[in-house]
């Protein structure tokens, strides 16, 4: 095994089937000083046996919030952040993910997604960076009514690992009229947006985030109505956050786009990634506009969206998907690759790009996502027998072995 503590030692991975561009080639790959040094022959200090295994670029997770289960494993039960982050990091490595954007929700809600807890997570993640096995970044998943998060977002943008910014508006989604499906709701700031009647007895049942927030449904509903009063000021705060993101060159995403107006609005702010578009014609408009398009890997694995949004597999086949995110389940990324390949939805190189090069490019990380000389040595060795499910045998992050099973 490669010595994890010695990045100066070169290693040659030998005998694997290697994904190079559009082809799978039997060759060797040499890694030195954290980069891919040579493809083919060449001297190395150590050898690693890749016979019978598949060597590919390591996974890049553009949006994953499964870490929340380590932070709060049961409702209202919070775990120490150091332990939660260290365990999450090891889960990432074991699932072949060498770069992860933790979708850290910054909300006006109390409880799990409160801004104070987000600040504590950022502090803990920063302090632990030297002990983490893969690259742990943040997606600042900002609820646009959470004005209290503005200072934290701007602080995070000054950090050594540039975060991404995702614009979420679950406030308006929750406040929509009862009879409007979530997939067809208007752009949240359209003057004709249909709003619910809070006097309707169904209102208390719609505010179903109370367990996560640690308050009663009645308390949650009262807080929601109070926060809703911020609505006239939301576009101005969004413009401020978008300007801050543009100034730093952060990748920015809009979440759950439902209308062409929604995508046009965010594109005008410099938000170039449509994350989980909820109607096909919105994804088509994103493609026509040169935007990146993200869908959830669990959508592929389960055979469809659990909330009735477009089938991610169909979007892949139609060329309307650039990246698959783990969303809420880290193993879903590799499992989605396997299902798409078994169903022949696209060539293997394009399918694998959905979990490597695609999310890397969308995130502005041009140093990874491919196996090519000079690229960062983020690699995975995969045990993938014909007709069987794939399993990660080794994950390498910047030339260091982050996870190894029998290697």
């Amino acid at each position: 095994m490669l010595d994890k503590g010695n990045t100066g030692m070169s290693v040659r991975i030998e005998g694997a089937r290697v994904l190079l561009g559009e082809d799978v080639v039997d060759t060797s790959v040499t890694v030195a000083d954290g980069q891919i040094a040579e493809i083919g022959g060449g001297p190395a200090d150590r050898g690693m046996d890749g016979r019978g295994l598949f060597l590919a670029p390591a996974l890049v997770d553009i949006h994953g919030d499964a870490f929340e289960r380590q932070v709060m494993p049961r409702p209202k039960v919070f775990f120490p952040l150091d332990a939660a982050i260290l365990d999450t990091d090891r889960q990432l490595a074991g699932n072949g993910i060498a770069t992860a954007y933790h979708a850290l929700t910054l909300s006006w809600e109390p409880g799990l997604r409160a801004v104070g807890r987000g600040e504590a997570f950022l502090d803990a993640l920063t302090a632990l960076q030297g002990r983490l096995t893969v690259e742990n970044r943040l997606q600042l998943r900002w609820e646009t009514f959470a004005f209290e998060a503005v200072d934290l977002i701007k602080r995070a943008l000054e950090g050594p690992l540039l975060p991404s910014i995702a614009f979420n508006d679950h406030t308006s989604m929750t406040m929509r009229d009862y009879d409007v499906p979530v997939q067809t709701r208007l752009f949240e700031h359209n003057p004709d947006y249909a709003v619910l009647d809070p006097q309707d007895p169904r209102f208390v049942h719609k505010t179903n985030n109370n367990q996560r927030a640690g308050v009663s449904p009645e308390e949650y509903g009262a807080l929601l109505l109070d926060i809703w009063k911020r609505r006239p000021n939301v576009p101005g705060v969004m413009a401020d956050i978008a300007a801050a993101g543009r100034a730093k060159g952060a990748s920015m995403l809009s979440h759950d786009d439902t209308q062409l107006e929604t995508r046009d609005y965010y594109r005008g702010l410099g938000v170039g990634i449509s994350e989980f578009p909820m109607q096909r014609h919105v994804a088509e408009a994103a493609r026509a506009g040169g935007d990146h398009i993200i869908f959830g890997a669990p959508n592929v694995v389960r055979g469809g969206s659990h909330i009735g949004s477009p089938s991610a597999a169909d979007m892949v086949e139609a060329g309307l998907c650039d990246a698959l995110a783990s969303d809420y389940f880290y193993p879903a990324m590799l499992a989605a690759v396997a299902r798409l390949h078994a169903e022949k939805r696209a060539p293997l190189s394009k399918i694998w790009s959905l979990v490597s090069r695609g999310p890397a490019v969308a995130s502005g990380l041009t140093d990874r996502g491919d196996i090519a000389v000079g690229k960062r040595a983020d690699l995975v060795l995969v045990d993938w027998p014909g007709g069987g499910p794939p399993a990660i045998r080794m994950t390498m992050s910047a030339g260091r072995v982050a996870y190894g099973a029998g290697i």
Side-chain angles (χ1 to χ4, degrees):
M1 181 182 290
L2 178 63
D3 183 353
K4 293 190 289 184
N6 186 0
T7 55
M9 180 178 290
S10 61
V11 62
R12 185 172 57 247
I13 305 170
E14 303 168 326
R17 295 174 290 117
V18 183
L19 182 62
L20 295 177
E22 297 182 357
D23 301 314
V24 177
V25 180
D26 292 326
T27 188
S28 62
V29 174
T30 302
V31 171
D33 298 320
Q35 295 185 329
I36 297 170
E38 190 167 350
I39 297 171
D45 299 314
R46 299 284 297 274
M48 182 182 293
D49 187 2
R51 288 175 297 176
L53 302 175
F54 177 62
L55 181 66
L59 281 56
V60 177
D61 188 8
I62 199 169
H63 170 120
D65 58 35
F67 71 91
E68 289 187 337
R69 285 194 291 275
Q70 275 67 255
V71 175
M72 190 177 76
R74 291 185 177 180
K76 305 179 185 179
V77 176
F78 290 94
F79 216 68
L81 284 176
D82 288 353
I85 290 171
L86 288 168
D87 183 68
T88 297
D89 171 72
R90 273 59 177 179
Q91 286 189 36
L92 294 167
N95 282 288
I97 301 168
T99 306
Y101 283 85
H102 299 301
L104 181 68
T105 300
L106 304 174
S107 176
W108 47 262
E109 289 181 6
L112 176 64
R113 295 180 170 180
V115 171
R117 290 198 181 274
E119 186 168 12
F121 189 92
L122 171 61
D123 290 342
L125 185 65
T126 301
L128 287 169
Q129 282 295 341
R131 296 180 59 195
L132 302 179
T133 63
V134 302
E135 190 169 280
N136 287 248
R137 291 174 173 256
L138 287 180
Q139 181 197 81
L140 303 171
R141 193 184 186 202
W142 176 50
E143 291 293 339
T144 57
F145 281 68
F147 298 172
E148 46 273 276
V150 169
D151 289 345
L152 177 57
I153 292 170
K154 292 182 177 180
R155 176 193 154 201
L157 286 171
E158 299 294 334
L161 291 178
L162 185 65
S164 62
I165 304 173
F167 292 78
N168 287 245
D169 189 354
H170 292 122
T171 307
S172 297
M173 186 187 297
T174 304
M175 287 293 295
R176 77 185 188 282
D177 185 86
Y178 301 110
D179 298 321
V180 176
V182 67
Q183 290 84 6
T184 58
R185 70 188 189 280
L186 295 180
F187 169 54
E188 286 79 4
H189 295 282
N190 186 308
D192 295 325
Y193 190 85
V195 178
L196 57 78
D197 176 6
Q199 301 305 315
D200 190 301
R202 293 174 292 179
F203 176 62
V204 71
H205 299 294
K206 195 169 185 180
T207 56
N208 60 358
N209 296 324
N210 59 291
Q211 280 197 329
R212 181 178 68 210
V215 296
S216 71
E218 292 78 13
E219 290 172 316
Y220 190 93
L223 178 58
L224 173 63
L225 292 177
D226 189 51
I227 293 293
W228 186 243
K229 297 173 185 176
R230 297 178 176 180
R231 190 184 186 208
N233 299 317
V234 170
V237 181
M238 290 169 62
D240 178 50
I241 291 296
R246 292 195 307 271
K248 292 296 182 181
S251 60
M252 296 192 289
L253 312 85
S254 58
H255 185 75
D256 289 348
D257 296 342
T258 62
Q259 302 293 337
L260 303 184
E261 182 184 7
T262 312
R263 184 85 288 272
D264 289 344
Y265 179 87
Y266 281 109
R267 189 184 300 118
L269 291 177
V271 180
I273 304 174
S274 181
E275 180 183 67
F276 312 153
M278 302 188 89
Q279 296 200 71
R280 179 176 177 133
H281 73 277
V282 177
E284 291 171 341
R287 173 60 72 239
D291 305 322
H292 300 279
I293 306 167
I294 313 300
F295 282 98
N299 181 319
V300 173
V301 178
R302 297 181 66 255
S305 167
H306 69 285
I307 58 172
S309 292
S311 159
D314 290 347
M315 296 298 97
V316 169
E317 190 168 358
L320 294 173
C321 178
D322 299 301
L324 291 170
S326 75
D327 198 2
Y328 54 85
F329 191 56
Y330 297 131
M333 295 180 74
L334 186 61
V337 167
R339 179 159 184 170
L340 290 169
H341 183 56
E343 294 179 356
K344 297 180 170 41
R345 296 283 189 156
L348 178 59
S349 60
K350 291 186 177 180
I351 293 171
W352 198 274
S353 177
L354 297 171
V355 297
S356 56
R357 184 177 187 275
V361 169
S363 302
L365 303 177
T366 57
D367 62 341
R368 67 200 74 183
D370 297 295
I371 296 181
V373 172
K375 290 282 189 175
R376 178 177 156 118
D378 286 359
L379 301 167
V380 286
L381 271 172
V382 186
D383 176 16
W384 196 355
I392 300 296
R393 292 286 297 275
M394 184 275 294
T395 301
M396 183 177 285
S397 177
R400 296 179 181 227
V401 173
Y403 171 81
I407 296 296

